[in-house]
Amino acid sequence: SMPFVAINVVLIVVWIIATFIVQKTTGIVLDSDVFERLALILGIEGLLVSILVLVNQTREAKEESVRDRTEYEATLHADRA
């Protein structure tokens, strides 16, 4: 959904800005070469989102199967009458 995308964009921008600000002002490196921690976090988030999508698709397929079976039985019953 769009709020999810917006929140992620904001968090990534904040992470990048905070990393540069902290490094410039204090010299402390929050994230080493090419944002390794950020890449790890985004990779894990991508994995979790993929799992959630697959689980949701499986649930919807089961619901559709039940709906199709019910419709078939109703049609079969109506044809007999």
Side-chain angles (χ1 to χ4, degrees):
S1 68
M2 289 310 292
F4 177 76
V5 172
I7 290 170
N8 276 296
V9 169
V10 168
L11 289 176
I12 291 168
V13 169
V14 168
W15 180 280
I16 292 170
I17 291 171
T19 300
F20 284 123
I21 289 174
V22 169
Q23 188 171 354
K24 289 267 188 197
T25 58
T26 65
I28 298 172
V29 178
L30 293 179
D31 210 350
S32 56
D33 301 326
V34 194
F35 297 102
E36 291 175 0
R37 286 189 187 96
L38 180 60
L40 174 67
I41 292 168
L42 292 176
I44 292 170
E45 181 182 17
L47 176 67
L48 293 174
V49 168
S50 299
I51 290 170
L52 289 173
V53 167
L54 290 173
V55 167
N56 190 36
Q57 286 178 339
T58 302
R59 182 185 53 80
E60 287 180 0
K62 287 179 183 177
E63 289 175 358
E64 183 178 358
S65 176
V66 169
R67 207 171 23 250
D68 289 345
R69 181 68 184 171
T70 304
E71 182 180 345
Y72 171 75
E73 289 174 359
T75 304
L76 193 62
H77 181 71
D79 287 344
R80 289 184 189 161

